[in-house]
Amino acid sequence: MTFRRSQVAGCGSYLPARVMTNDELAEIVDTSDEWIVARTGIERRHIAADGETTSDLALRASTAALADADVAVDELDMIVLATATPDETFPATATAVQARLGMTRGFAFDVHAVCSGFVYAMAVADNFLRLRQADTALVIGAETFSRILDWSDRATCVLFGDGAGAVVLRSAEGDGGAGDRGILATRLHADGRKHDMLYVDGGPSSTRTTGHLRMRGKEVFRHAVVNLSSVVGETLADAGLTTDDIDWLVPHQANRRILDSTARKIGLPPERVIVTVQDHANTSAASVPLALDAATADGRIKPGDLVLMEAMGGGFTWGACLARW
Ligand code: UT7
């Protein structure tokens, strides 16, 4: 019997040209390069130019992913774009990317799960492909978090950056075993009771403003390590695999200490964790596909490797996606 899988056909990413260092931030708020590096591992972040939108970043990442996959725009059946910083309240930023790619068929929509957005979007696209409602999907994570930061709050403004990453998924037949190439398992979770730990204090229906990001960092940190290590275990178990089988963990890049603690908790050696937080900071939904693109481009992730992506963000939301490359 054959089994339908969603295979990763290609990756792409884009980072705005402007790089902001920790020293530059120390000129704006009472912080230091030493504090930021020691507490987070972040050394720099990219910041979108005035007028540069989430769809601008997403379009560049998408074009690169389509070229890497050798897939033409008219082969795409769907676009799912994860973002918490859309160009406009509506329509979906995915439809802006669709139009600018020149895609005139299929469907396009946004997924909003903040930092878990890309993992959510992969799970959604995988389900469409496995249910035969699409054959080829463009999955994007794109953010301009610089627009929702309170640049006077040192506890949050030093942590985030802008960027975009994308993957092309194509359906293929496998035998249903863990050796199949493609997505082997996805797991999603949410707990809306944790709203106050990480949210934006604005929105069209509440304050009619865009608002700013607010976070209780210590509590987010504590929940992140517990939730991420448990969802990793669930996802591996769904595929009948263990931590020893993982070639690469590609975590959401929020804080170097969260990455290290989670890897330790699941018993994975640090050399099998892809880390980009030093260069990108936390780019929310873009962080996992940015890290994927970096690690495939430099040859670390190779065809046949078992790759586990995981993320946690506002909501809380969290989840994981296990794929054989
Ligand atoms: O995608 C999910 C989104 N978010 C996260 O994953 C973030 C999770 N949390 C974290 O990464 C960490 O909790 C932070 C990096 C945000 C903070 O690290 P921490 O070790 O939990 O520090 P803290 O909040 O306990 O603050 C320690 C001290 C405080 O001063 P006092 O009260 O000890 O005098 C803060 O006011 O550090 C101070 N502080 C800063 N000092 C210099 C907070 N932010 C800064 C700063 N520069 N930027």
Side-chain angles (χ1 to χ4, degrees):
M1 202 179 88
T2 58
F3 197 92
R4 202 164 146 103
R5 297 285 193 198
S6 312
Q7 290 187 351
V8 178
C11 299
S13 65
Y14 177 73
L15 290 157
R18 159 107 168 89
V19 175
M20 185 185 272
T21 62
N22 292 343
D23 285 335
E24 285 177 73
L25 275 165
E27 290 168 15
I28 306 172
V29 286
D30 181 15
T31 190
S32 65
D33 179 52
E34 294 70 32
W35 191 96
I36 300 171
V37 171
R39 298 286 178 131
T40 72
I42 298 166
E43 294 169 18
R44 59 191 74 80
R45 72 283 295 139
H46 291 251
I47 302 290
D50 281 349
E52 194 175 31
T53 61
T54 294
S55 67
D56 291 329
L57 311 187
L59 180 68
R60 294 221 191 198
S62 300
T63 307
L66 287 164
D68 187 47
D70 199 18
V71 164
V73 167
D74 60 15
E75 291 177 69
L76 286 176
D77 300 310
M78 64 181 285
I79 299 177
V80 51
L81 185 150
T83 191
T85 47
D87 290 7
E88 297 167 327
T89 300
F90 81 81
T93 301
T95 59
V97 174
Q98 183 202 23
R100 294 173 68 187
L101 282 174
M103 177 182 163
T104 52
R105 51 179 287 279
F107 53 97
F109 59 93
D110 290 357
V111 159
H112 188 342
V114 206
C115 299
S116 316
F118 183 76
V119 170
Y120 266 60
M122 288 287 268
V124 168
D126 178 46
N127 287 332
F128 272 98
L129 263 58
R130 285 189 302 105
L131 285 171
R132 300 180 187 276
Q133 294 185 357
D135 282 320
T136 307
L138 176 62
V139 184
I140 310 165
E143 301 278 17
T144 45
F145 254 50
S146 59
R147 305 276 154 71
I148 55 165
L149 296 178
D150 175 351
W151 287 97
S152 66
D153 175 15
R154 69 176 183 173
T156 54
C157 75
V158 304
L159 303 175
F160 296 90
D162 300 334
V167 304
V168 176
L169 293 179
R170 222 173 1 197
S171 65
E173 301 298 328
D175 63 14
D180 281 355
R181 286 189 58 212
I183 295 177
L184 301 177
T186 59
R187 274 276 187 142
L188 305 179
H189 289 280
D191 181 355
R193 294 170 301 176
K194 304 292 190 300
H195 167 276
D196 292 357
M197 294 188 186
L198 180 52
Y199 67 102
V200 166
D201 61 1
S205 177
S206 54
T207 61
R208 301 185 206 179
T209 63
T210 304
H212 292 110
L213 182 148
R214 305 294 172 203
M215 180 169 72
R216 293 197 218 149
K218 253 197 185 346
E219 281 150 282
V220 176
F221 192 115
R222 197 165 44 81
H223 281 89
V225 177
V226 173
N227 291 343
L228 290 171
S229 46
S230 100
V231 78
V232 162
E234 291 167 9
T235 311
L236 285 167
D238 285 348
L241 297 168
T242 68
T243 300
D244 290 343
D245 297 308
I246 300 175
D247 292 297
W248 296 106
L249 182 70
V250 184
H252 169 51
Q253 311 282 320
N255 181 321
R256 177 79 211 220
R257 286 156 56 217
I258 296 179
L259 307 191
D260 292 344
S261 305
T262 308
R264 229 182 355 258
K265 208 165 156 72
I266 65 169
L268 191 75
E271 57 275 14
R272 283 199 263 151
V273 183
I274 306 294
V275 181
T276 55
V277 69
Q278 68 283 357
D279 296 323
H280 303 162
N282 181 347
T283 56
S284 182
S287 92
V288 170
L290 273 164
L292 283 176
D293 193 40
T296 50
D298 68 17
R300 276 178 292 173
I301 296 179
K302 296 177 295 301
D305 281 356
L306 189 71
V307 177
L308 183 56
M309 299 155 247
E310 45 89 325
M312 142 122 186
F316 287 148
T317 55
W318 66 103
C321 173
L322 181 67
R324 189 164 306 278
W325 225 248

